Amino acid sequence: MIQTVAFYLFAALTIASAVFVIMARNPVHSVLWLIVAFFNAAGLMVLVGAEFIAMLLVIVYVGAVAVLFLFVVMMLNIDFAELRAGFVRNFPLGLAIALILLAELVLGIGAWQAGAMELGEATADQVTPIADSNIAALGQVLYGQYLFLFESAGIILLVAMVGAIVLTHRERKDTKPQDISRQNRRRPQDATRNVKPEVGQGVQL
C-alpha cells in the first residue's frame, strides 16, 4: 500500500515539476523546477529497485548538470523581452515538432499494443542474483568483465581534461611572475607607509 502511494506521489510531483519547467517565465525558476523533477525521478528509481540510477540522478544531474545550468542562467544577461519575442516567432515551428513527436509516440504505443514488436526477454545467465544489489552487480561487471575498457575510458577522460586546461591556459605578458618566497619574507612595515600630506596636496601613489 505504501509503495503505491509513494509511486503516485513521486509520479505526480515529477509530472507537475516538468510542466512548471516549461511554463515558468523565469529561466532560474525553470532550472529549480528541473531539480525538483530530478529528485522525484530518483524516488521513482528507488521504488523499482534501481538505487544506482537514483544515486546518479541526484549526484550527477542535480549536483552537477542542473547546478551548472543554474549558474549559467544566473550569470547570463538575459533580455526577457527579446526572449518572449523569439518564443512567439518560433512558436509555429515548435508546435509542428511537438505534433510530430506526439504522433511518433502514439504510433509506437499503438504498434506495441498490436503485438508488432517483440520485446527481448532476459535469459537465466543475464538475470541478476537476488542476493546481489544493482550496485554490486554493476561493480562486478565494470571491474571484472569490462575492467580494461573502464580504465581506458578513465585515462582518455583524464587526458582530455588535462589537454583542455593546457589549451586554455595563457600566460599574461603584462604581469610579473609571482614570487612566493618574497611575499612570505615581507614585513608589515615594508607593506605600509604612513604619510602626512599637506592640505590640498593629496597622496602620491
Side-chain angles (χ1 to χ4, degrees):
M1 180 63 182
I2 188 172
Q3 291 86 356
T4 305
V5 174
F7 169 77
Y8 283 110
L9 176 63
F10 285 132
L13 291 177
T14 303
I15 296 174
S17 56
V19 172
F20 283 122
V21 169
I22 302 173
M23 301 299 294
R25 295 181 179 271
N26 194 333
V28 177
H29 296 167
S30 296
V31 178
L32 293 177
W33 283 116
L34 182 63
I35 293 175
V36 176
F38 283 150
F39 271 112
N40 289 281
L44 290 175
M45 293 298 105
V46 172
L47 289 178
V48 298
E51 63 274 3
F52 182 76
I53 299 179
M55 183 180 64
L56 287 182
L57 280 173
V58 174
I59 295 177
V60 177
Y61 285 92
V62 176
V65 177
V67 175
L68 176 62
F69 287 167
L70 184 61
F71 276 101
V72 169
V73 169
M74 293 178 65
M75 291 193 322
L76 290 178
N77 187 14
I78 300 176
D79 189 358
F80 291 99
E82 183 180 356
L83 189 64
R84 294 189 185 96
F87 174 78
V88 175
R89 184 173 61 253
N90 298 321
F91 181 75
L93 178 60
L95 182 60
I97 295 175
L99 291 177
I100 292 174
L101 294 177
L102 179 61
E104 290 180 350
L105 287 176
V106 173
L107 181 62
I109 294 174
W112 175 69
Q113 291 180 349
M117 296 183 298
E118 294 182 359
L119 300 178
E121 296 181 357
T123 58
D125 56 346
Q126 294 176 344
V127 176
T128 304
I130 300 178
D132 294 337
S133 62
N134 291 331
I135 300 178
L138 184 61
Q140 292 175 2
V141 173
L142 284 180
Y143 297 104
Q145 183 178 358
Y146 298 101
L147 176 62
F148 178 74
L149 297 177
F150 183 75
E151 296 293 338
S152 301
I155 293 175
I156 293 174
L157 291 175
L158 178 62
V159 172
M161 182 179 64
V162 174
I165 296 174
V166 171
L167 291 176
T168 56
H169 178 69
R170 296 289 184 273
E171 294 184 359
R172 298 182 59 179
K173 304 288 184 180
D174 56 343
T175 58
K176 296 181 180 179
Q178 186 178 11
D179 192 352
I180 304 297
S181 60
R182 181 182 178 185
Q183 294 177 359
N184 292 331
R185 293 195 307 268
R186 187 179 62 177
R187 298 176 300 174
Q189 54 269 26
D190 297 334
T192 59
R193 181 166 58 94
N194 296 327
V195 296
K196 295 182 179 180
E198 298 179 359
V199 177
Q201 181 180 1
V203 179
Q204 296 180 357
L205 299 178

